[in-house]
Every structure is written in C-alpha cells, then in structure tokens.
Amino acid sequence: QQPVQSPQAVILREGEDAVINCSSSKALYSVHWYRQKHGEAPVFLMILLKGGEQKGHEKISASFNEKKQQSSLYLTASQLSYSGTYFCGTEGYALNFGKGTSLLVTP
Amino acid sequence: NAGVTQTPKFRILKIGQSMTLQCAQDMNHNYMYWYRQDPGMGLKLIYYSVGAGITDKGEVPNGYNVSRSTTEDFPLRLELAAPSQTSVYFCASRPSPSGRWGTDTQYFGPGTRLTVL
C-alpha cells in the first residue's frame, strides 16, 4: 500500500522551516526518505526505524510515530540546495513510495 | 564502487520497436528493482528480483520482461514499444535483509529517459 504524503507542494524562502509528513495505513517498522532533484535519480536521505533509531547521511532530522504510523521530515533553516521532490518509502520486498512532496526554496 | 549503472541514458524509440535497458550493480546486492517514473509522478515498481534466477512482477509489469542470470545484471526488455511507455526508468538494488525489513535502503541508478514516438 502506497504511503500518503502531505503537503503536495511547499514554497519557502531561504532560512524558513518546513515539515513533510508521510502516513501509512499499515503498521511500520521503518520509513525511508529520499530527495530527488529535477532530472536526477532519488538520493537516500535517512531511515527512521521503530524504536527511534535513525540512519542518515545528512543534517536533516525526522521523527517516527509508531502509534500514528507516521513519519515527519523536518527541514530547518532551509537552503536553496534543499529544493527538490521528497519521497517517503515504506518497507516490503520493494519500497512502496508516496507520490512525493515538491519543495522549492527561493532566495 | 560504481554502484548502480544504467545504459543508455537517453533513447528514442518508434512505436512497435523493442529494446533492452541495461542495469548493473557491483555491490553484490541480491535484490534488484525496476521502477518507472512519469513526469511529476512517483515511482512505480515494474519488476523485481530477489536473486539470480528469481524475478517477480511489480505494480505495472505489462509490456515489459526481465531476466536475472547473474547477481550483477538485471536487464529490462520492452517489446512492441508504445507511447504509454514514455517515461524515466530507474534501476535500484538493495542488500538482502539481515534482520527485519527496512534496515537497509535501496540505491538507485542514474536512470534511462525513454521516449516512444
């Protein structure tokens, strides 16, 4: 089942904060977050695991609410380089991806 | 490590032609995947493989075929190309899960942009 992402699109000015949510109808063990820039492949950002463990490669924070079956990605003090489409994926034989959240950071 | 590589990067096909999209990975991952992404949309799973000789259909397999004769390679075959197959195709790979699902992520190739006219 495809997770549901919100909002669909966000426009920010540099330095502003944003939150992207990812909800699932089934119990989750993990949520994977990716960012995709226009014309490029999705790039892994981080994994949120049940129990609160995070595995990531960038200075972006996230949370995982097991009760709500929801994960949120927090982009603080946004930079121009944060622009792109953010996807969450939930586990299975293959990751099930949401439809994405388009984020545009303007000067 | 080159990671996941895909060839070609771009291709234009005429309706009814066939082609094979190549995907290779050098990370010794057992799990490999093919996704398609239409403009402004998310990723839809076409086929996946959990090891050499084992493949299975994903969400949108019609019009495609795959084979997995080695751990490294996972080619995607388009037979009788149609305009609806115009898309960007991504290959991805992942290690076999050592425990519960979800502790290792998928790594994507750079994609193949296909146009069918």
Side-chain angles (χ1 to χ4, degrees):
Chain A
Q1 291 126 328
Q2 186 178 40
V4 177
Q5 289 185 233
S6 63
Q8 286 187 328
V10 183
I11 299 176
L12 299 173
R13 288 189 180 272
E14 254 185 309
E16 292 182 337
D17 302 338
V19 180
I20 299 172
N21 299 306
C22 175
S23 299
S24 174
S25 59
K26 65 173 188 174
L28 296 175
Y29 180 76
S30 68
V31 177
H32 302 229
W33 285 98
Y34 288 78
R35 177 171 63 209
Q36 184 180 32
K37 293 189 179 283
H38 183 70
E40 298 180 6
V43 174
F44 168 73
L45 292 177
M46 64 192 321
I47 298 175
L48 279 299
L49 302 176
K50 189 175 181 178
E53 182 182 354
Q54 297 184 22
K55 294 169 66 174
H57 302 284
E58 292 195 20
K59 294 180 182 178
I60 294 175
S61 63
S63 65
F64 186 14
N65 187 320
E66 297 161 27
K67 270 190 173 181
K68 291 185 177 180
Q69 294 163 192
Q70 176 177 317
S71 176
S72 296
L73 190 70
Y74 303 98
L75 303 162
T76 56
S78 59
Q79 305 168 17
L80 296 177
S81 62
Y82 285 8
S83 293
T85 301
Y86 290 77
F87 292 98
C88 68
T90 55
E91 78 270 18
Y93 278 107
L95 291 177
N96 299 304
F97 289 98
K99 291 185 177 180
T101 295
S102 176
L103 179 75
L104 176 63
V105 181
T106 62
Chain B
N1 280 357
V4 180
T5 58
Q6 292 183 238
T7 56
K9 289 187 179 179
F10 304 93
R11 184 72 185 268
I12 298 175
L13 284 181
K14 293 183 178 179
I15 294 172
Q17 287 184 322
S18 300
M19 77 164 293
T20 298
L21 280 67
Q22 301 292 342
C23 173
Q25 52 91 10
D26 62 358
M27 297 175 281
N28 202 32
H29 289 169
N30 281 324
Y31 287 71
M32 295 188 73
Y33 311 91
W34 275 106
Y35 291 90
R36 61 174 287 172
Q37 185 177 36
D38 298 330
M41 302 295 285
L43 296 150
K44 293 186 178 180
L45 183 67
I46 305 172
Y47 271 96
Y48 68 96
S49 169
V50 300
I54 306 169
T55 62
D56 207 348
K57 297 177 181 178
E59 184 185 355
V60 290
N62 291 342
Y64 308 95
N65 276 302
V66 293
S67 59
R68 183 96 182 270
S69 56
T70 66
T71 299
E72 294 78 20
D73 300 299
F74 190 38
L76 178 71
R77 178 83 178 161
L78 277 73
E79 306 282 1
L80 299 174
S84 61
Q85 293 178 305
T86 293
S87 190
V88 180
Y89 292 83
F90 290 105
C91 179
S93 73
R94 184 183 194 182
S96 300
S98 54
R100 276 293 304 269
W101 278 112
T103 55
D104 291 293
T105 196
Q106 292 179 189
Y107 298 89
F108 284 85
T112 294
R113 188 174 298 272
L114 177 68
T115 302
V116 182
L117 300 173

Short mmCIF file of all heavy atoms in Angstrom, two decimals, chain A residues 65-96:
data_model
loop_
_atom_site.label_atom_id
_atom_site.label_comp_id
_atom_site.label_asym_id
_atom_site.label_seq_id
_atom_site.Cartn_x
_atom_site.Cartn_y
_atom_site.Cartn_z
N ASN A 65 6.45 8.23 14.40
CA ASN A 65 5.42 8.00 15.40
C ASN A 65 4.77 6.64 15.10
O ASN A 65 3.97 6.50 14.18
CB ASN A 65 4.38 9.13 15.34
CG ASN A 65 3.37 9.04 16.46
OD1 ASN A 65 2.92 7.95 16.82
ND2 ASN A 65 3.01 10.17 17.02
N GLU A 66 5.14 5.64 15.90
CA GLU A 66 4.66 4.28 15.63
C GLU A 66 3.15 4.18 15.82
O GLU A 66 2.48 3.47 15.08
CB GLU A 66 5.38 3.30 16.56
CG GLU A 66 6.87 3.24 16.32
CD GLU A 66 7.62 2.65 17.49
OE1 GLU A 66 7.00 1.84 18.23
OE2 GLU A 66 8.79 2.97 17.68
N LYS A 67 2.64 4.88 16.83
CA LYS A 67 1.20 4.80 17.11
C LYS A 67 0.39 5.33 15.93
O LYS A 67 -0.60 4.75 15.52
CB LYS A 67 0.85 5.58 18.36
CG LYS A 67 0.91 4.80 19.65
CD LYS A 67 0.31 5.60 20.78
CE LYS A 67 0.22 4.77 22.04
NZ LYS A 67 -0.38 5.53 23.15
N LYS A 68 0.83 6.46 15.40
CA LYS A 68 0.11 7.08 14.28
C LYS A 68 0.53 6.50 12.94
O LYS A 68 -0.05 6.85 11.92
CB LYS A 68 0.36 8.59 14.28
CG LYS A 68 -0.27 9.34 15.43
CD LYS A 68 -0.08 10.85 15.25
CE LYS A 68 -0.77 11.62 16.36
NZ LYS A 68 -0.58 13.09 16.21
N GLN A 69 1.52 5.64 12.92
CA GLN A 69 2.04 5.08 11.67
C GLN A 69 2.43 6.20 10.72
O GLN A 69 2.03 6.22 9.56
CB GLN A 69 1.01 4.13 11.03
CG GLN A 69 0.78 2.90 11.87
CD GLN A 69 -0.50 2.16 11.50
OE1 GLN A 69 -0.91 1.29 12.24
NE2 GLN A 69 -1.12 2.48 10.40
N GLN A 70 3.18 7.14 11.26
CA GLN A 70 3.51 8.34 10.52
C GLN A 70 4.95 8.76 10.77
O GLN A 70 5.48 8.59 11.86
CB GLN A 70 2.56 9.46 10.96
CG GLN A 70 2.84 10.81 10.32
CD GLN A 70 1.81 11.84 10.77
OE1 GLN A 70 0.62 11.58 10.82
NE2 GLN A 70 2.29 13.03 11.07
N SER A 71 5.58 9.30 9.74
CA SER A 71 6.91 9.87 9.87
C SER A 71 6.86 11.31 9.37
O SER A 71 6.10 11.64 8.45
CB SER A 71 7.93 9.08 9.06
OG SER A 71 9.20 9.69 9.12
N SER A 72 7.65 12.16 9.99
CA SER A 72 7.75 13.55 9.56
C SER A 72 9.21 13.91 9.33
O SER A 72 10.08 13.53 10.11
CB SER A 72 7.15 14.49 10.62
OG SER A 72 5.77 14.24 10.77
N LEU A 73 9.46 14.64 8.25
CA LEU A 73 10.80 15.10 7.90
C LEU A 73 10.87 16.59 8.18
O LEU A 73 10.00 17.35 7.72
CB LEU A 73 11.07 14.83 6.42
CG LEU A 73 12.49 15.03 5.92
CD1 LEU A 73 13.41 13.96 6.49
CD2 LEU A 73 12.52 15.00 4.39
N TYR A 74 11.86 17.01 8.96
CA TYR A 74 11.99 18.40 9.36
C TYR A 74 13.16 19.04 8.63
O TYR A 74 14.30 18.61 8.77
CB TYR A 74 12.21 18.50 10.87
CG TYR A 74 11.11 17.85 11.67
CD1 TYR A 74 11.26 16.56 12.17
CD2 TYR A 74 9.91 18.52 11.91
CE1 TYR A 74 10.25 15.95 12.90
CE2 TYR A 74 8.90 17.91 12.63
CZ TYR A 74 9.07 16.64 13.12
OH TYR A 74 8.07 16.03 13.82
N LEU A 75 12.85 20.07 7.87
CA LEU A 75 13.87 20.82 7.14
C LEU A 75 13.95 22.19 7.79
O LEU A 75 13.05 23.02 7.66
CB LEU A 75 13.48 20.95 5.67
CG LEU A 75 13.27 19.61 4.96
CD1 LEU A 75 12.48 19.78 3.69
CD2 LEU A 75 14.60 18.96 4.67
N THR A 76 15.00 22.42 8.54
CA THR A 76 15.14 23.67 9.27
C THR A 76 16.17 24.57 8.61
O THR A 76 17.14 24.09 8.02
CB THR A 76 15.55 23.40 10.73
OG1 THR A 76 16.76 22.64 10.73
CG2 THR A 76 14.48 22.61 11.45
N ALA A 77 15.91 25.88 8.72
CA ALA A 77 16.82 26.88 8.12
C ALA A 77 17.14 26.49 6.68
O ALA A 77 18.29 26.31 6.31
CB ALA A 77 18.08 27.01 8.95
N SER A 78 16.08 26.35 5.88
CA SER A 78 16.24 25.78 4.53
C SER A 78 17.24 26.56 3.68
O SER A 78 17.38 27.78 3.78
CB SER A 78 14.88 25.72 3.84
OG SER A 78 14.32 27.01 3.75
N GLN A 79 17.91 25.79 2.84
CA GLN A 79 18.89 26.35 1.89
C GLN A 79 18.37 26.12 0.48
O GLN A 79 17.51 25.27 0.26
CB GLN A 79 20.23 25.65 2.07
CG GLN A 79 20.76 25.69 3.48
CD GLN A 79 21.94 24.75 3.67
OE1 GLN A 79 22.56 24.31 2.70
NE2 GLN A 79 22.26 24.43 4.90
N LEU A 80 18.90 26.86 -0.48
CA LEU A 80 18.49 26.69 -1.87
C LEU A 80 18.68 25.25 -2.33
O LEU A 80 17.89 24.72 -3.12
CB LEU A 80 19.29 27.64 -2.78
CG LEU A 80 19.07 29.13 -2.56
CD1 LEU A 80 19.97 29.94 -3.48
CD2 LEU A 80 17.62 29.52 -2.79
N SER A 81 19.72 24.60 -1.80
CA SER A 81 20.02 23.22 -2.20
C SER A 81 18.98 22.22 -1.71
O SER A 81 18.99 21.07 -2.15
CB SER A 81 21.40 22.81 -1.67
OG SER A 81 21.41 22.84 -0.26
N TYR A 82 18.09 22.63 -0.82
CA TYR A 82 17.04 21.72 -0.34
C TYR A 82 15.92 21.54 -1.36
O TYR A 82 15.10 20.65 -1.21
CB TYR A 82 16.43 22.25 0.96
CG TYR A 82 17.29 22.09 2.20
CD1 TYR A 82 18.59 21.67 2.13
CD2 TYR A 82 16.76 22.39 3.46
CE1 TYR A 82 19.37 21.53 3.26
CE2 TYR A 82 17.53 22.26 4.60
CZ TYR A 82 18.83 21.83 4.50
OH TYR A 82 19.60 21.71 5.63
N SER A 83 15.89 22.37 -2.36
CA SER A 83 14.83 22.26 -3.37
C SER A 83 14.86 20.90 -4.04
O SER A 83 15.91 20.35 -4.32
CB SER A 83 14.99 23.36 -4.43
OG SER A 83 14.76 24.63 -3.89
N GLY A 84 13.68 20.37 -4.30
CA GLY A 84 13.56 19.07 -4.94
C GLY A 84 12.26 18.42 -4.53
O GLY A 84 11.43 19.04 -3.87
N THR A 85 12.10 17.17 -4.91
CA THR A 85 10.92 16.41 -4.52
C THR A 85 11.33 15.38 -3.50
O THR A 85 12.29 14.64 -3.70
CB THR A 85 10.27 15.73 -5.74
OG1 THR A 85 9.91 16.73 -6.69
CG2 THR A 85 9.02 14.98 -5.32
N TYR A 86 10.61 15.34 -2.40
CA TYR A 86 10.91 14.43 -1.30
C TYR A 86 9.92 13.26 -1.32
O TYR A 86 8.71 13.45 -1.40
CB TYR A 86 10.84 15.16 0.04
CG TYR A 86 11.97 16.14 0.21
CD1 TYR A 86 11.96 17.37 -0.43
CD2 TYR A 86 13.07 15.82 1.00
CE1 TYR A 86 13.00 18.26 -0.31
CE2 TYR A 86 14.12 16.71 1.15
CZ TYR A 86 14.09 17.92 0.49
OH TYR A 86 15.14 18.80 0.63
N PHE A 87 10.48 12.06 -1.26
CA PHE A 87 9.66 10.85 -1.25
C PHE A 87 9.90 10.08 0.05
O PHE A 87 11.03 9.97 0.52
CB PHE A 87 10.04 9.93 -2.41
CG PHE A 87 9.69 10.45 -3.77
CD1 PHE A 87 10.65 11.08 -4.55
CD2 PHE A 87 8.41 10.29 -4.29
CE1 PHE A 87 10.35 11.56 -5.80
CE2 PHE A 87 8.09 10.78 -5.54
CZ PHE A 87 9.06 11.41 -6.30
N CYS A 88 8.82 9.52 0.58
CA CYS A 88 8.99 8.56 1.66
C CYS A 88 8.70 7.18 1.09
O CYS A 88 7.91 7.03 0.17
CB CYS A 88 8.09 8.88 2.86
SG CYS A 88 6.32 8.66 2.56
N GLY A 89 9.35 6.17 1.66
CA GLY A 89 9.14 4.80 1.24
C GLY A 89 8.96 3.92 2.45
O GLY A 89 9.63 4.09 3.47
N THR A 90 8.01 2.98 2.36
CA THR A 90 7.78 2.04 3.45
C THR A 90 8.19 0.65 3.01
O THR A 90 8.20 0.34 1.82
CB THR A 90 6.30 2.06 3.88
OG1 THR A 90 5.48 1.79 2.74
CG2 THR A 90 5.94 3.41 4.45
N GLU A 91 8.52 -0.21 4.00
CA GLU A 91 9.23 -1.44 3.66
C GLU A 91 8.34 -2.52 3.08
O GLU A 91 7.15 -2.54 3.24
CB GLU A 91 9.96 -1.99 4.89
CG GLU A 91 9.08 -2.71 5.88
CD GLU A 91 8.49 -1.80 6.94
OE1 GLU A 91 8.49 -0.59 6.72
OE2 GLU A 91 8.03 -2.31 7.96
N GLY A 92 9.03 -3.43 2.40
CA GLY A 92 8.42 -4.60 1.77
C GLY A 92 9.52 -5.21 0.92
O GLY A 92 10.69 -4.84 1.06
N TYR A 93 9.17 -6.16 0.01
CA TYR A 93 10.19 -6.66 -0.90
C TYR A 93 10.84 -5.52 -1.65
O TYR A 93 12.03 -5.50 -1.93
CB TYR A 93 9.58 -7.65 -1.89
CG TYR A 93 9.44 -9.04 -1.34
CD1 TYR A 93 8.20 -9.54 -1.00
CD2 TYR A 93 10.55 -9.84 -1.15
CE1 TYR A 93 8.07 -10.82 -0.49
CE2 TYR A 93 10.44 -11.12 -0.63
CZ TYR A 93 9.20 -11.60 -0.31
OH TYR A 93 9.07 -12.86 0.20
N ALA A 94 10.00 -4.54 -2.02
CA ALA A 94 10.49 -3.30 -2.60
C ALA A 94 9.86 -2.17 -1.81
O ALA A 94 8.76 -2.32 -1.28
CB ALA A 94 10.10 -3.19 -4.07
N LEU A 95 10.55 -1.07 -1.73
CA LEU A 95 9.98 0.07 -1.02
C LEU A 95 8.73 0.56 -1.75
O LEU A 95 8.72 0.66 -2.97
CB LEU A 95 10.99 1.20 -0.92
CG LEU A 95 12.18 0.96 -0.01
CD1 LEU A 95 13.14 2.15 -0.06
CD2 LEU A 95 11.73 0.71 1.43
N ASN A 96 7.69 0.86 -0.98
CA ASN A 96 6.48 1.47 -1.52
C ASN A 96 6.59 2.97 -1.33
O ASN A 96 6.66 3.45 -0.21
CB ASN A 96 5.25 0.95 -0.78
CG ASN A 96 5.09 -0.53 -0.93
OD1 ASN A 96 5.02 -1.05 -2.04
ND2 ASN A 96 5.01 -1.24 0.19
#
